[in-house]
Amino acid sequence: NIPEGKDVTIMGSHVRIEISDTGTGIPPEQIQKIFDPYYTTKSEGSGLGLALSISIIRKHGGILDVRSTVGEGTTFTILLPVSMEQVYPPVTEVSTMPSRNFSGSVLIMDDEELILRVSEKMLQSLGHRVLSAKNGEEAIALYREHKDAGDPFCALILDVNVSGGMGGEVAATAILEMDPAARIILSSGYFKENEDPKDHTPGISGIITKPYLMDELKQALIGLM
């Protein structure tokens, strides 16, 4: 049972990691949903753990599989490709200054407090003033307030999936109706490879997949120029 990737195989050498328990197991009607964002059977929790896990593993060219028997337990299997050669990624210096002709305030919206705090620090280190919102309603209100005050945001980064509130796509549509010149990046941990931002909302300027690095964030902002 490999969701959304049943035809994916890893050729050559790979690392295999298995994590098993002897718990109550996962019923068949639930196992197809456990990787869906915000799906959870618990009274507390966001349901994002497995969704983020499979996103990160796929980003590294791997596979996450699950097998479960009710009353016996569950086993998660991770396959990650490896190289027999030592590979050292090129060391690139990331400028901590905004690109020429692109600076100003950035509005970031995400319902995960940790992501907000980390992204704020990254944007601040790039020289931007940052305001944050936890849902689409807050983002729309902040954008309207700053636009009316003559202090518009130079960019917005809106999370697509928000638990218990308006998500980024709906908020982007409302903001673009208010200001067609708004420069909006959608963020998510679940974009497909080579996905076109216009597949989501016409007028969107770009997308960025979480978790993202400083250089990826900077390049996404440069792409708005």
Side-chain angles (χ1 to χ4, degrees):
N1 176 45
I2 303 176
E4 299 182 20
K6 296 179 181 178
D7 58 342
V8 176
T9 57
I10 296 181
M11 303 299 293
S13 300
H14 60 272
V15 173
R16 180 186 183 96
I17 304 169
E18 286 196 354
I19 304 169
S20 301
D21 65 30
T22 54
T24 58
I26 305 172
E29 65 272 14
Q30 293 180 3
I31 203 165
Q32 297 296 332
K33 303 177 182 178
I34 61 174
F35 294 104
D36 294 345
Y38 298 112
Y39 177 78
T40 180
T41 58
K42 298 178 181 179
S43 57
E44 296 182 0
S46 65
L48 283 172
L50 286 174
L52 282 173
S53 296
I54 197 169
S55 175
I56 294 169
I57 290 168
R58 285 177 178 167
K59 197 170 182 180
H60 288 81
I63 294 173
L64 175 58
D65 184 23
V66 58
R67 302 185 308 277
S68 186
T69 302
V70 174
E72 296 184 11
T74 302
T75 297
F76 286 91
T77 301
I78 302 170
L79 299 180
L80 291 171
V82 298
S83 172
M84 301 307 293
E85 301 176 0
Q86 287 187 318
V87 178
Y88 297 95
V91 177
T92 57
E93 183 176 346
V94 178
S95 171
T96 57
M97 294 300 292
S99 299
R100 187 177 61 180
N101 299 326
F102 190 86
S103 61
S105 301
V106 175
L107 173 61
I108 182 166
M109 183 271 282
D110 203 293
D111 63 334
E112 291 288 319
E113 187 69 22
L114 178 60
I115 293 175
L116 272 184
R117 300 287 81 83
V118 172
S119 298
E120 285 176 358
K121 294 293 186 183
M122 292 169 71
L123 287 164
Q124 287 167 356
S125 71
L126 290 173
H128 296 285
R129 185 165 64 96
V130 186
L131 278 78
S132 62
K134 293 185 177 180
N135 54 53
E137 292 89 347
E138 290 184 11
I140 293 170
L142 279 170
Y143 193 87
R144 180 180 292 110
E145 176 185 335
H146 280 252
K147 181 176 181 296
D148 292 345
D151 181 28
F153 293 100
C154 68
L156 299 87
I157 303 173
L158 306 179
D159 184 21
V160 172
N161 299 297
V162 173
S163 178
M166 182 188 295
E169 292 181 80
V170 177
T173 298
I175 290 170
L176 287 166
E177 288 176 355
M178 185 194 320
D179 180 8
R183 293 183 284 188
I184 301 175
I185 298 170
L186 292 181
S187 71
S188 176
Y190 323 107
F191 289 129
K192 298 176 182 177
E193 188 175 358
N194 300 322
E195 191 164 0
D196 188 333
K198 292 183 177 58
D199 291 341
H200 295 267
T201 306
I204 291 297
S205 300
I207 59 176
I208 187 168
T209 303
K210 299 185 292 186
Y212 44 80
L213 302 175
M214 174 78 81
D215 193 52
E216 292 173 316
L217 178 59
K218 183 180 180 183
Q219 292 305 315
L221 292 171
I222 290 174
L224 301 181
M225 294 175 58

